[in-house]
Amino acid sequence: KRAFLLYYATPLLSSYLPSDHLFFLMLLTGGVFRLLKQSITQTELQEAHTYLKLFSAQAPVFYGKICICEKL
């Protein structure tokens, strides 16, 4: 499951998803990929934070307002 998200989801779904949905998926994938590394630099941590913050900001657009999380 982890391998699908990190390595296969974007290339396999790029032909099927609209560009805004693909970008949304790439934000999630990029953030999770950085956080799952064995070691992470401060720059990578900041990148992961940025990607996941953007992902969570766009979630209501894709999933509705019920998806809003105030904790991020």
Side-chain angles (χ1 to χ4, degrees), residues 12-49:
L12 288 175
L13 297 174
S14 64
S15 300
Y16 302 101
L17 292 177
S19 60
D20 57 339
H21 288 73
L22 187 62
F23 180 71
F24 187 64
L25 174 63
M26 290 169 64
L27 289 173
L28 176 62
T29 304
V32 170
F33 178 79
R34 282 160 180 77
L35 293 176
L36 289 175
K37 292 173 69 173
Q38 291 291 344
S39 63
I40 186 170
T41 65
Q42 188 64 35
T43 301
E44 290 170 323
L45 182 60
Q46 185 60 41
E47 288 172 353
H49 180 290

